[in-house]
Amino acid sequence: MTNSTSVLITGASTGIGATYAERFAQRGHDLVLVARDKVRLDALASRLNHEYGVNVDVMPADLTKPNDLLTVEARLRNDARIGTLINNAGIAQSGSFIEQTPDQVEQLIALNTTALARLSNAVAPRLVQAGTGAIINISSVVGLAPEFQMSVYGATKAFVLFLSQGLHLELSPKGIYVQAVLPAGTYTEIWDRAGIDISTYPAMMKVDDLVDAALVGFDRRELVTIPPLQNVTHWNALDTARQVLLSDINQAQAAERYKSAS
Ligand code: NAP
Protein backbone atom coordinates (compact mmCIF):
# COMPACT_ATOMS: atom_id res chain seq x y z
CA MET A 1 0.00 0.00 0.00
CA THR A 2 1.34 3.48 -0.81
CA ASN A 3 0.99 6.82 0.94
CA SER A 4 -1.63 9.04 -0.65
CA THR A 5 0.71 11.76 -1.91
CA SER A 6 3.46 11.42 -4.42
CA VAL A 7 6.74 13.31 -4.36
CA LEU A 8 8.29 15.02 -7.38
CA ILE A 9 12.07 15.23 -7.10
CA THR A 10 14.28 17.19 -9.49
CA GLY A 11 17.83 16.03 -10.06
CA ALA A 12 16.80 12.53 -9.03
CA SER A 13 19.12 10.53 -11.25
CA THR A 14 22.00 10.51 -8.75
CA GLY A 15 23.39 12.06 -5.56
CA ILE A 16 21.17 13.83 -3.06
CA GLY A 17 18.08 13.61 -5.27
CA ALA A 18 18.39 9.85 -5.82
CA THR A 19 18.87 9.40 -2.07
CA TYR A 20 15.71 11.40 -1.35
CA ALA A 21 13.93 9.17 -3.86
CA GLU A 22 15.04 6.07 -2.00
CA ARG A 23 13.97 7.47 1.38
CA PHE A 24 10.52 8.60 0.22
CA ALA A 25 10.00 5.24 -1.51
CA GLN A 26 10.88 3.54 1.80
CA ARG A 27 8.22 5.72 3.39
CA GLY A 28 5.70 4.40 0.87
CA HIS A 29 5.34 7.44 -1.37
CA ASP A 30 4.86 7.24 -5.11
CA LEU A 31 7.45 9.27 -6.97
CA VAL A 32 7.98 11.41 -10.04
CA LEU A 33 11.67 11.57 -10.88
CA VAL A 34 13.05 14.41 -13.00
CA ALA A 35 16.54 14.74 -14.52
CA ARG A 36 18.10 14.58 -17.98
CA ASP A 37 19.49 11.04 -17.92
CA LYS A 38 16.56 8.78 -18.79
CA VAL A 39 18.59 5.58 -18.55
CA ARG A 40 19.56 6.29 -14.96
CA LEU A 41 16.07 7.46 -14.05
CA ASP A 42 14.54 4.28 -15.51
CA ALA A 43 16.99 2.06 -13.62
CA LEU A 44 16.28 3.83 -10.31
CA ALA A 45 12.53 3.81 -10.93
CA SER A 46 12.44 0.11 -11.64
CA ARG A 47 14.57 -0.73 -8.58
CA LEU A 48 12.44 1.41 -6.24
CA ASN A 49 9.24 -0.03 -7.67
CA HIS A 50 10.57 -3.55 -7.20
CA GLU A 51 11.95 -3.01 -3.67
CA TYR A 52 9.23 -0.84 -2.16
CA GLY A 53 6.16 -1.49 -4.32
CA VAL A 54 5.62 2.21 -5.05
CA ASN A 55 4.73 3.69 -8.43
CA VAL A 56 7.58 5.66 -9.95
CA ASP A 57 7.17 7.85 -13.03
CA VAL A 58 10.15 9.32 -14.79
CA MET A 59 10.16 12.68 -16.54
CA PRO A 60 13.37 13.20 -18.49
CA ALA A 61 13.83 16.96 -18.67
CA ASP A 62 16.58 19.54 -18.94
CA LEU A 63 15.36 22.21 -16.54
CA THR A 64 17.44 24.89 -18.26
CA LYS A 65 15.40 24.36 -21.45
CA PRO A 66 12.16 26.40 -21.46
CA ASN A 67 10.01 23.70 -23.10
CA ASP A 68 11.17 20.96 -20.75
CA LEU A 69 10.62 23.24 -17.78
CA LEU A 70 7.10 24.05 -18.96
CA THR A 71 6.31 20.33 -19.15
CA VAL A 72 7.37 19.76 -15.53
CA GLU A 73 5.50 22.87 -14.42
CA ALA A 74 2.34 21.54 -16.09
CA ARG A 75 2.71 18.23 -14.29
CA LEU A 76 3.06 20.02 -10.94
CA ARG A 77 0.08 22.24 -11.72
CA ASN A 78 -2.24 19.49 -12.85
CA ASP A 79 -1.31 16.27 -11.06
CA ALA A 80 -3.31 16.40 -7.82
CA ARG A 81 -1.48 13.36 -6.46
CA ILE A 82 1.76 15.31 -6.08
CA GLY A 83 1.86 16.69 -2.53
CA THR A 84 5.59 17.32 -2.16
CA LEU A 85 8.07 19.04 -4.47
CA ILE A 86 11.79 18.58 -3.83
CA ASN A 87 13.75 21.25 -5.70
CA ASN A 88 17.12 19.53 -5.68
CA ALA A 89 18.58 19.76 -9.21
CA GLY A 90 21.61 22.02 -9.18
CA ILE A 91 25.07 22.50 -10.55
CA ALA A 92 28.26 24.13 -9.32
CA GLN A 93 31.11 25.65 -11.31
CA SER A 94 34.85 25.73 -10.97
CA GLY A 95 36.94 28.85 -11.28
CA SER A 96 36.68 32.43 -10.16
CA PHE A 97 34.09 34.85 -11.53
CA ILE A 98 36.42 36.24 -14.19
CA GLU A 99 37.24 32.71 -15.37
CA GLN A 100 33.57 31.82 -15.85
CA THR A 101 31.82 32.73 -19.09
CA PRO A 102 28.52 34.61 -19.32
CA ASP A 103 26.89 31.46 -20.72
CA GLN A 104 28.11 29.35 -17.79
CA VAL A 105 26.88 31.95 -15.33
CA GLU A 106 23.50 32.06 -17.04
CA GLN A 107 23.22 28.26 -17.07
CA LEU A 108 23.93 28.04 -13.36
CA ILE A 109 21.38 30.72 -12.51
CA ALA A 110 18.81 29.11 -14.85
CA LEU A 111 18.96 25.74 -13.10
CA ASN A 112 19.68 26.70 -9.50
CA THR A 113 17.24 29.60 -9.24
CA THR A 114 14.94 30.16 -12.24
CA ALA A 115 13.82 26.54 -12.54
CA LEU A 116 13.42 26.21 -8.78
CA ALA A 117 11.32 29.37 -8.51
CA ARG A 118 9.15 28.48 -11.53
CA LEU A 119 8.49 24.95 -10.28
CA SER A 120 7.60 26.25 -6.81
CA ASN A 121 5.31 28.80 -8.40
CA ALA A 122 3.64 26.10 -10.51
CA VAL A 123 2.80 23.86 -7.57
CA ALA A 124 2.07 26.35 -4.78
CA PRO A 125 -1.42 27.52 -5.81
CA ARG A 126 -2.69 23.94 -6.06
CA LEU A 127 -1.18 23.00 -2.69
CA VAL A 128 -2.71 26.11 -1.13
CA GLN A 129 -6.07 25.15 -2.56
CA ALA A 130 -5.69 21.69 -1.04
CA GLY A 131 -4.52 23.27 2.25
CA THR A 132 -1.62 20.84 2.54
CA GLY A 133 1.70 19.97 0.94
CA ALA A 134 5.42 20.57 1.20
CA ILE A 135 8.22 22.19 -0.77
CA ILE A 136 11.81 21.20 0.03
CA ASN A 137 14.47 23.44 -1.48
CA ILE A 138 18.10 22.37 -1.52
CA SER A 139 20.26 25.39 -0.78
CA SER A 140 23.85 25.24 0.54
CA VAL A 141 26.00 26.66 3.33
CA VAL A 142 27.87 28.38 0.49
CA GLY A 143 24.86 30.71 0.35
CA LEU A 144 25.94 32.02 3.76
CA ALA A 145 29.61 32.36 2.89
CA PRO A 146 30.97 34.66 0.17
CA GLU A 147 34.34 33.73 1.72
CA PHE A 148 34.14 30.37 -0.07
CA GLN A 149 34.72 32.23 -3.35
CA MET A 150 31.98 30.49 -5.28
CA SER A 151 30.23 33.80 -5.90
CA VAL A 152 27.56 32.93 -8.45
CA TYR A 153 26.85 29.49 -7.00
CA GLY A 154 26.65 30.98 -3.50
CA ALA A 155 24.39 33.75 -4.73
CA THR A 156 21.98 31.20 -6.20
CA LYS A 157 21.94 29.31 -2.91
CA ALA A 158 21.33 32.53 -0.94
CA PHE A 159 18.39 33.09 -3.30
CA VAL A 160 17.07 29.61 -2.47
CA LEU A 161 17.32 30.26 1.27
CA PHE A 162 15.66 33.67 1.00
CA LEU A 163 12.90 32.36 -1.26
CA SER A 164 12.23 29.52 1.18
CA GLN A 165 12.05 31.93 4.13
CA GLY A 166 9.67 34.16 2.18
CA LEU A 167 7.50 31.28 0.99
CA HIS A 168 7.35 29.97 4.54
CA LEU A 169 5.89 33.30 5.69
CA GLU A 170 3.43 33.37 2.79
CA LEU A 171 2.41 29.73 2.62
CA SER A 172 2.66 28.20 6.09
CA PRO A 173 -0.53 29.99 7.27
CA LYS A 174 -2.23 28.21 4.35
CA GLY A 175 -1.05 24.77 5.45
CA ILE A 176 2.07 24.44 3.27
CA TYR A 177 5.36 23.37 4.81
CA VAL A 178 8.51 24.86 3.26
CA GLN A 179 11.99 23.63 4.15
CA ALA A 180 15.39 24.96 3.08
CA VAL A 181 18.17 22.39 3.42
CA LEU A 182 21.75 23.69 3.56
CA PRO A 183 24.29 20.92 3.03
CA ALA A 184 28.02 21.56 3.27
CA GLY A 185 30.43 19.52 1.14
CA THR A 186 28.87 16.12 0.46
CA TYR A 187 30.29 13.26 -1.59
CA THR A 188 28.34 13.24 -4.87
CA GLU A 189 29.10 13.69 -8.56
CA ILE A 190 28.66 17.47 -8.34
CA TRP A 191 32.37 18.07 -7.86
CA ASP A 192 33.48 16.02 -10.87
CA ARG A 193 30.77 17.54 -13.02
CA ALA A 194 31.93 21.03 -12.06
CA GLY A 195 35.58 20.16 -12.66
CA ILE A 196 36.50 20.76 -9.01
CA ASP A 197 39.27 18.56 -7.60
CA ILE A 198 38.35 17.69 -4.00
CA SER A 199 41.31 15.38 -3.38
CA THR A 200 42.92 17.95 -1.05
CA TYR A 201 39.67 19.06 0.62
CA PRO A 202 38.78 18.13 4.21
CA ALA A 203 36.49 15.11 4.63
CA MET A 204 32.91 15.60 3.48
CA MET A 205 29.57 14.18 4.55
CA LYS A 206 28.23 10.94 3.08
CA VAL A 207 25.12 11.54 1.02
CA ASP A 208 23.06 9.04 3.08
CA ASP A 209 23.95 10.87 6.30
CA LEU A 210 23.09 14.22 4.71
CA VAL A 211 19.65 13.15 3.52
CA ASP A 212 18.82 11.27 6.74
CA ALA A 213 19.64 14.38 8.77
CA ALA A 214 17.65 16.58 6.39
CA LEU A 215 14.68 14.27 6.86
CA VAL A 216 14.92 14.60 10.65
CA GLY A 217 14.52 18.34 10.06
CA PHE A 218 11.65 17.64 7.64
CA ASP A 219 9.82 15.49 10.17
CA ARG A 220 10.28 18.24 12.78
CA ARG A 221 8.90 20.74 10.27
CA GLU A 222 12.00 22.94 10.53
CA LEU A 223 12.15 25.88 8.15
CA VAL A 224 15.95 25.83 7.86
CA THR A 225 17.87 22.58 8.25
CA ILE A 226 21.67 22.74 8.25
CA PRO A 227 22.87 19.14 8.77
CA PRO A 228 26.57 19.99 9.25
CA LEU A 229 25.91 22.84 11.74
CA GLN A 230 27.00 21.49 15.11
CA ASN A 231 25.64 24.29 17.31
CA VAL A 232 22.23 25.57 16.27
CA THR A 233 22.46 28.58 18.60
CA HIS A 234 24.80 30.16 16.03
CA TRP A 235 22.11 30.04 13.35
CA ASN A 236 19.52 31.32 15.81
CA ALA A 237 21.83 34.23 16.75
CA LEU A 238 22.26 35.15 13.07
CA ASP A 239 18.52 35.13 12.52
CA THR A 240 17.92 37.20 15.64
CA ALA A 241 20.60 39.71 14.55
CA ARG A 242 18.85 40.03 11.18
CA GLN A 243 15.56 40.84 12.89
CA VAL A 244 17.22 43.39 15.19
CA LEU A 245 18.71 45.00 12.07
CA LEU A 246 15.25 45.21 10.51
CA SER A 247 13.84 46.90 13.58
CA ASP A 248 16.62 49.52 13.24
CA ILE A 249 15.74 50.49 9.65
CA ASN A 250 13.97 53.85 9.46
CA GLN A 251 12.94 54.47 5.89
CA ALA A 252 11.99 58.12 6.51
CA GLN A 253 15.40 59.31 7.70
CA ALA A 254 19.01 58.74 6.71
CA ALA A 255 21.16 57.52 9.55
CA GLU A 256 23.15 60.14 11.46
CA ARG A 257 26.47 58.98 9.91
CA TYR A 258 25.23 59.90 6.41
CA LYS A 259 24.10 63.43 7.33
CA SER A 260 27.50 65.01 6.72
CA ALA A 261 30.30 64.23 4.27
CA SER A 262 33.06 64.15 6.88
P1 NAP B 1 24.86 15.66 -8.41
O1 NAP B 1 25.26 14.38 -7.80
O2 NAP B 1 25.72 16.28 -9.47
O3 NAP B 1 23.36 15.55 -8.92
C1 NAP B 1 22.75 16.63 -9.58
C2 NAP B 1 21.41 16.17 -10.14
O4 NAP B 1 20.86 17.26 -10.88
C3 NAP B 1 21.54 15.00 -11.08
O5 NAP B 1 20.44 14.14 -10.90
C4 NAP B 1 21.50 15.64 -12.45
O6 NAP B 1 20.97 14.69 -13.35
C5 NAP B 1 20.55 16.79 -12.21
N1 NAP B 1 20.72 17.86 -13.17
C6 NAP B 1 21.88 18.51 -13.49
N2 NAP B 1 21.65 19.40 -14.46
C7 NAP B 1 20.33 19.31 -14.76
C8 NAP B 1 19.48 19.97 -15.70
N3 NAP B 1 19.96 20.90 -16.56
N4 NAP B 1 18.17 19.63 -15.74
C9 NAP B 1 17.68 18.68 -14.91
N5 NAP B 1 18.42 18.04 -14.00
C10 NAP B 1 19.73 18.35 -13.94
O7 NAP B 1 24.74 16.81 -7.30
P2 NAP B 1 24.26 16.75 -5.76
O8 NAP B 1 25.45 16.99 -4.93
O9 NAP B 1 23.38 15.59 -5.51
O10 NAP B 1 23.43 18.11 -5.74
C11 NAP B 1 22.04 18.18 -5.47
C12 NAP B 1 21.77 19.56 -4.90
O11 NAP B 1 22.47 19.71 -3.67
C13 NAP B 1 22.22 20.71 -5.78
O12 NAP B 1 21.26 21.73 -5.77
C14 NAP B 1 23.49 21.19 -5.12
O13 NAP B 1 23.76 22.56 -5.38
C15 NAP B 1 23.16 20.94 -3.67
N6 NAP B 1 24.32 20.86 -2.78
C16 NAP B 1 25.26 19.88 -2.96
C17 NAP B 1 26.37 19.85 -2.13
C18 NAP B 1 27.46 18.82 -2.29
O14 NAP B 1 28.54 19.01 -1.72
N7 NAP B 1 27.22 17.72 -3.01
C19 NAP B 1 26.52 20.80 -1.11
C20 NAP B 1 25.54 21.78 -0.96
C21 NAP B 1 24.43 21.79 -1.79
P3 NAP B 1 21.19 14.63 -14.94
O15 NAP B 1 22.64 14.81 -15.22
O16 NAP B 1 20.65 13.26 -15.28
O17 NAP B 1 20.33 15.72 -15.49
Side-chain angles (χ1 to χ4, degrees), residues 175-192:
I176 313 309
Y177 168 52
V178 179
Q179 182 191 27
V181 176
L182 279 64
T186 306
Y187 291 118
T188 69
E189 293 173 14
I190 197 168
W191 305 99
D192 255 9

mmCIF file of all heavy atoms in Angstrom, residues 175-192:
data_model
loop_
_atom_site.group_PDB
_atom_site.id
_atom_site.type_symbol
_atom_site.label_atom_id
_atom_site.label_comp_id
_atom_site.label_asym_id
_atom_site.label_seq_id
_atom_site.Cartn_x
_atom_site.Cartn_y
_atom_site.Cartn_z
ATOM 1 N N GLY A 175 -1.199 26.223 5.282
ATOM 2 C CA GLY A 175 -1.051 24.775 5.450
ATOM 3 C C GLY A 175 0.106 24.154 4.704
ATOM 4 O O GLY A 175 0.261 22.933 4.682
ATOM 5 N N ILE A 176 0.962 24.985 4.064
ATOM 6 C CA ILE A 176 2.065 24.435 3.269
ATOM 7 C C ILE A 176 3.362 24.516 4.072
ATOM 8 O O ILE A 176 3.706 25.570 4.612
ATOM 9 C CB ILE A 176 2.256 25.221 1.942
ATOM 10 C CG1 ILE A 176 0.918 25.423 1.238
ATOM 11 C CG2 ILE A 176 3.275 24.519 1.044
ATOM 12 C CD1 ILE A 176 0.095 24.182 1.057
ATOM 13 N N TYR A 177 4.076 23.420 4.118
ATOM 14 C CA TYR A 177 5.364 23.371 4.810
ATOM 15 C C TYR A 177 6.490 23.615 3.804
ATOM 16 O O TYR A 177 6.544 22.948 2.764
ATOM 17 C CB TYR A 177 5.544 22.014 5.490
ATOM 18 C CG TYR A 177 6.943 21.748 5.978
ATOM 19 C CD1 TYR A 177 7.613 22.658 6.795
ATOM 20 C CD2 TYR A 177 7.618 20.587 5.621
ATOM 21 C CE1 TYR A 177 8.909 22.412 7.236
ATOM 22 C CE2 TYR A 177 8.904 20.333 6.061
ATOM 23 C CZ TYR A 177 9.545 21.264 6.861
ATOM 24 O OH TYR A 177 10.819 21.022 7.297
ATOM 25 N N VAL A 178 7.353 24.569 4.114
ATOM 26 C CA VAL A 178 8.508 24.863 3.262
ATOM 27 C C VAL A 178 9.780 24.619 4.079
ATOM 28 O O VAL A 178 9.885 25.079 5.217
ATOM 29 C CB VAL A 178 8.491 26.329 2.761
ATOM 30 C CG1 VAL A 178 9.715 26.618 1.883
ATOM 31 C CG2 VAL A 178 7.202 26.622 1.999
ATOM 32 N N GLN A 179 10.711 23.910 3.475
ATOM 33 C CA GLN A 179 11.987 23.631 4.153
ATOM 34 C C GLN A 179 13.148 24.020 3.237
ATOM 35 O O GLN A 179 13.156 23.649 2.055
ATOM 36 C CB GLN A 179 12.111 22.136 4.483
ATOM 37 C CG GLN A 179 13.406 21.786 5.235
ATOM 38 C CD GLN A 179 13.654 20.282 5.318
ATOM 39 O OE1 GLN A 179 13.207 19.524 4.451
ATOM 40 N NE2 GLN A 179 14.367 19.843 6.339
ATOM 41 N N ALA A 180 14.121 24.748 3.776
ATOM 42 C CA ALA A 180 15.391 24.958 3.080
ATOM 43 C C ALA A 180 16.420 24.053 3.737
ATOM 44 O O ALA A 180 16.565 24.053 4.962
ATOM 45 C CB ALA A 180 15.829 26.412 3.206
ATOM 46 N N VAL A 181 17.112 23.277 2.916
ATOM 47 C CA VAL A 181 18.170 22.389 3.420
ATOM 48 C C VAL A 181 19.508 22.952 2.953
ATOM 49 O O VAL A 181 19.690 23.236 1.767
ATOM 50 C CB VAL A 181 17.983 20.951 2.895
ATOM 51 C CG1 VAL A 181 19.131 20.059 3.347
ATOM 52 C CG2 VAL A 181 16.641 20.388 3.345
ATOM 53 N N LEU A 182 20.434 23.122 3.889
ATOM 54 C CA LEU A 182 21.747 23.690 3.564
ATOM 55 C C LEU A 182 22.839 22.659 3.846
ATOM 56 O O LEU A 182 23.395 22.605 4.955
ATOM 57 C CB LEU A 182 22.011 24.951 4.408
ATOM 58 C CG LEU A 182 21.383 26.271 3.961
ATOM 59 C CD1 LEU A 182 19.864 26.239 4.014
ATOM 60 C CD2 LEU A 182 21.914 27.420 4.800
ATOM 61 N N PRO A 183 23.153 21.833 2.842
ATOM 62 C CA PRO A 183 24.294 20.918 3.028
ATOM 63 C C PRO A 183 25.599 21.706 2.978
ATOM 64 O O PRO A 183 25.663 22.789 2.395
ATOM 65 C CB PRO A 183 24.209 19.972 1.823
ATOM 66 C CG PRO A 183 22.895 20.250 1.159
ATOM 67 C CD PRO A 183 22.519 21.649 1.529
ATOM 68 N N ALA A 184 26.647 21.137 3.583
ATOM 69 C CA ALA A 184 28.018 21.563 3.272
ATOM 70 C C ALA A 184 28.558 20.519 2.289
ATOM 71 O O ALA A 184 27.780 19.741 1.708
ATOM 72 C CB ALA A 184 28.845 21.651 4.540
ATOM 73 N N GLY A 185 29.858 20.467 2.100
ATOM 74 C CA GLY A 185 30.427 19.524 1.144
ATOM 75 C C GLY A 185 29.946 18.097 1.410
ATOM 76 O O GLY A 185 30.032 17.595 2.523
ATOM 77 N N THR A 186 29.441 17.466 0.368
ATOM 78 C CA THR A 186 28.867 16.122 0.458
ATOM 79 C C THR A 186 29.401 15.325 -0.728
ATOM 80 O O THR A 186 29.497 15.870 -1.841
ATOM 81 C CB THR A 186 27.321 16.205 0.391
ATOM 82 O OG1 THR A 186 26.863 17.121 1.401
ATOM 83 C CG2 THR A 186 26.661 14.855 0.596
ATOM 84 N N TYR A 187 29.734 14.074 -0.504
ATOM 85 C CA TYR A 187 30.291 13.261 -1.594
ATOM 86 C C TYR A 187 29.203 12.897 -2.597
ATOM 87 O O TYR A 187 28.341 12.052 -2.324
ATOM 88 C CB TYR A 187 30.927 11.987 -1.043
ATOM 89 C CG TYR A 187 32.187 12.233 -0.254
ATOM 90 C CD1 TYR A 187 32.264 11.909 1.088
ATOM 91 C CD2 TYR A 187 33.319 12.789 -0.876
ATOM 92 C CE1 TYR A 187 33.433 12.134 1.814
ATOM 93 C CE2 TYR A 187 34.488 13.021 -0.154
ATOM 94 C CZ TYR A 187 34.541 12.691 1.179
ATOM 95 O OH TYR A 187 35.688 12.926 1.895
ATOM 96 N N THR A 188 29.222 13.572 -3.739
ATOM 97 C CA THR A 188 28.337 13.243 -4.868
ATOM 98 C C THR A 188 29.127 13.553 -6.147
ATOM 99 O O THR A 188 30.286 13.980 -6.089
ATOM 100 C CB THR A 188 27.046 14.106 -4.878
ATOM 101 O OG1 THR A 188 27.423 15.459 -5.185
ATOM 102 C CG2 THR A 188 26.296 14.049 -3.556
ATOM 103 N N GLU A 189 28.443 13.423 -7.272
ATOM 104 C CA GLU A 189 29.104 13.692 -8.559
ATOM 105 C C GLU A 189 29.278 15.184 -8.839
ATOM 106 O O GLU A 189 29.897 15.549 -9.839
ATOM 107 C CB GLU A 189 28.284 13.072 -9.697
ATOM 108 C CG GLU A 189 28.257 11.570 -9.675
ATOM 109 C CD GLU A 189 27.301 11.003 -10.720
ATOM 110 O OE1 GLU A 189 26.861 11.759 -11.621
ATOM 111 O OE2 GLU A 189 26.982 9.806 -10.632
ATOM 112 N N ILE A 190 28.687 16.034 -7.998
ATOM 113 C CA ILE A 190 28.660 17.471 -8.336
ATOM 114 C C ILE A 190 30.054 18.042 -8.545
ATOM 115 O O ILE A 190 30.269 18.898 -9.406
ATOM 116 C CB ILE A 190 27.888 18.277 -7.253
ATOM 117 C CG1 ILE A 190 27.486 19.654 -7.785
ATOM 118 C CG2 ILE A 190 28.686 18.404 -5.970
ATOM 119 C CD1 ILE A 190 26.495 20.399 -6.912
ATOM 120 N N TRP A 191 31.011 17.516 -7.787
ATOM 121 C CA TRP A 191 32.367 18.065 -7.859
ATOM 122 C C TRP A 191 33.021 17.726 -9.194
ATOM 123 O O TRP A 191 33.603 18.591 -9.854
ATOM 124 C CB TRP A 191 33.192 17.518 -6.681
ATOM 125 C CG TRP A 191 32.526 17.807 -5.382
ATOM 126 C CD1 TRP A 191 31.750 16.956 -4.642
ATOM 127 C CD2 TRP A 191 32.516 19.060 -4.688
ATOM 128 N NE1 TRP A 191 31.268 17.600 -3.527
ATOM 129 C CE2 TRP A 191 31.731 18.888 -3.530
ATOM 130 C CE3 TRP A 191 33.109 20.305 -4.925
ATOM 131 C CZ2 TRP A 191 31.516 19.920 -2.618
ATOM 132 C CZ3 TRP A 191 32.905 21.321 -4.023
ATOM 133 C CH2 TRP A 191 32.121 21.123 -2.883
ATOM 134 N N ASP A 192 32.937 16.454 -9.577
ATOM 135 C CA ASP A 192 33.478 16.016 -10.872
ATOM 136 C C ASP A 192 32.825 16.769 -12.019
ATOM 137 O O ASP A 192 33.491 17.210 -12.959
ATOM 138 C CB ASP A 192 33.166 14.525 -11.066
ATOM 139 C CG ASP A 192 34.410 13.689 -10.860
ATOM 140 O OD1 ASP A 192 35.414 14.273 -10.417
ATOM 141 O OD2 ASP A 192 34.361 12.468 -11.143
#
